Amino acid sequence: MEVGRLPISASQRGKLIAAGYTTLSSFSSLSPSHLARDLKISDNEAAEIMRVASHSRRLDGSAGGCGTVNGAQTAWDMLHEEEMFPRITTSCVDLDNILGGGINCKEVTEIGGVPGIGKTQLGIQLAINVQIPVDYGGLGGKAIYIDTEGSFMVERALQIAEACIEDMSECGGLLRKDFQACQLKMHPNNILENIFYFRVCSYTEQIALINYLDKFISEHKDVKIVIVDSVTFHFRQDFDDMALRTRLLSGMALKLMKLAKDFSLAVVLLNQVTTKYIDGSFQLTLALGDSWSHSCTNRVILYWNGNERYAYIDKSPSLRSASAPYSVTSKGIRNSASNCKRIKMM
């Protein structure tokens, strides 16, 4: 059961979430004095919170909490389901190829790289491409964009949306599809209306929003991607207590994994880089530490190779390690310029 559903004051719920206690099980084994110390409240108030939590847990269990163990699925069903579910294209053929066709639903994909490499551009591209109609190989869904840095640019989103419709028009002509009817639904303004944008300014806001997404997506079932840009920003400052940070990040990661699975949607986490001392020298690595790297299904690292951008599959249970070039153009993410030249020469 989530802390947000506890019948306690909003102030008490906020203190629990800020301290990293997002579910009842996360503090059920603590003593009242321990909880009081973490929440900076009196022992009596902490004891009352634990009493209410214990009572709510019993009610939740008697209402069918044990039902979560039902509904086993065979591995064959899982494979068939995965093959049937379309992926979200990145608009770069080479990048799609190393991703197995694009960003997969029911998974958490982390994409990290240095500033200026195109993380936000890719995030915006995915928020638009998830809306490509089913008839054109898309999901026909909507997007949630969580902006922690203020880097989302609505003018850029409009530019990419217009380019997406232009690409579909060309594709519709080749496939002899009725693009005119589709175009009425895929007007750039409609595309922007299908991106739910949230601006968060602190780690407590970020955690509260992640906890709220379950309810929001239940009311907007056509949401097929959640993008957090970036997952890192508010957790790289104002943290003296690293144990608290780890607990908060772990809780958030578990929540995002559950959202991906329960609602059959893709979760894309954009991450920053930091330096790490490895083998006698400082090297660039994705932020938030080694333990965070286990919080995602797939990890993609974006990097420069000379003047060209590349994406590298660093971790995945189903994709082999591979690199692919890509470009950031006025139309959005596209094939690299050098690859386009090679194709024309052929």
Side-chain angles (χ1 to χ4, degrees), residues 271-286:
N271 196 355
Q272 301 172 345
V273 295
T274 187
T275 53
K276 185 178 181 180
Y277 193 72
I278 305 172
D279 297 331
S281 63
F282 286 99
Q283 299 178 24
L284 285 177
T285 185
L286 296 193

Side-chain angles (χ1 to χ4, degrees), residues 62-86:
S62 64
C66 59
T68 55
V69 299
N70 295 329
Q73 190 178 22
T74 68
W76 172 255
D77 288 338
M78 291 170 65
L79 178 63
H80 180 67
E81 187 179 279
E82 188 171 311
E83 288 175 345
M84 291 295 291
F85 216 85

Side-chain angles (χ1 to χ4, degrees), residues 30-298:
L30 298 181
S31 66
S33 60
H34 189 152
L35 185 64
R37 188 167 61 252
D38 283 354
L39 271 55
K40 296 181 174 58
I41 58 177
S42 68
D43 287 356
N44 288 341
E45 188 178 357
E48 178 60 19
I49 289 173
M50 296 196 75
R51 186 193 66 76
V52 172
S54 177
H55 179 66
S56 298
R57 196 182 303 111
R58 285 197 299 273
L59 289 177
D60 194 46
S62 64
C66 59
T68 55
V69 299
N70 295 329
Q73 190 178 22
T74 68
W76 172 255
D77 288 338
M78 291 170 65
L79 178 63
H80 180 67
E81 187 179 279
E82 188 171 311
E83 288 175 345
M84 291 295 291
F85 216 85
R87 293 173 181 249
I88 305 167
T89 178
T90 63
S91 292
C92 172
V93 174
D94 293 330
L95 183 50
D96 281 350
N97 285 341
I98 66 170
L99 288 168
I103 300 295
N104 202 10
C105 291
K106 288 198 167 187
E107 293 181 352
V108 177
T109 300
E110 180 184 26
I111 301 174
V114 297
I117 197 67
K119 300 185 295 295
T120 296
Q121 302 288 325
L122 182 53
I124 295 172
Q125 186 77 62
L126 292 171
I128 288 162
N129 287 358
V130 74
Q131 302 181 48
I132 295 173
V134 174
D135 287 345
Y136 285 77
L139 273 70
K142 296 181 180 180
I144 290 174
Y145 202 103
I146 300 172
D147 185 3
T148 68
E149 301 182 27
S151 54
F152 182 87
M153 299 160 286
V154 70
E155 296 84 1
R156 180 62 171 146
L158 177 62
Q159 197 176 29
I160 295 173
E162 290 170 343
C164 178
I165 292 174
E166 186 180 320
D167 289 346
M168 285 177 52
S169 177
E170 293 175 7
C171 177
L174 290 171
L175 298 176
R176 304 184 187 280
K177 287 183 179 281
D178 184 7
F179 178 71
Q180 191 171 8
C182 175
Q183 195 173 26
L184 294 174
K185 299 178 182 177
M186 290 293 290
H187 189 277
N189 291 355
N190 294 336
I191 291 178
L192 295 184
E193 285 179 357
N194 290 334
I195 300 174
F196 300 109
Y197 174 81
F198 294 91
R199 176 74 169 101
V200 296
C201 300
S202 68
Y203 77 86
T204 51
E205 281 186 24
Q206 186 171 332
I207 293 167
L209 176 57
I210 298 297
N211 287 328
Y212 167 68
L213 286 183
D214 199 325
K215 181 176 185 296
F216 184 87
I217 297 171
S218 295
E219 297 168 355
H220 301 82
K221 294 187 182 296
D222 42 6
V223 167
K224 290 302 174 187
I225 190 169
V226 175
I227 300 156
V228 185
D229 180 14
S230 69
V231 70
T232 326
F233 186 71
H234 295 305
F235 289 90
R236 295 188 72 181
Q237 48 198 348
D238 302 328
F239 265 101
D240 297 323
D241 188 347
M242 289 296 104
L244 170 61
R245 190 181 88 154
T246 300
R247 190 164 67 236
L248 290 169
L249 286 169
S250 297
M252 185 174 63
L254 288 171
K255 184 67 177 177
L256 290 168
M257 288 178 195
K258 190 173 186 301
L259 283 174
K261 181 176 180 296
D262 290 351
F263 293 100
S264 298
L265 54 79
V267 173
V268 174
L269 308 176
L270 305 183
N271 196 355
Q272 301 172 345
V273 295
T274 187
T275 53
K276 185 178 181 180
Y277 193 72
I278 305 172
D279 297 331
S281 63
F282 286 99
Q283 299 178 24
L284 285 177
T285 185
L286 296 193
L288 299 181
D290 293 333
S291 60
W292 172 256
S293 66
H294 303 294
S295 301
C296 56
T297 316
N298 309 300

Side-chain angles (χ1 to χ4, degrees), residues 303-315:
Y303 65 96
W304 289 101
N305 184 2
N307 293 324
E308 199 163 29
R309 293 175 168 91
Y310 272 78
Y312 171 69
I313 306 292
D314 181 59
K315 170 208 164 185

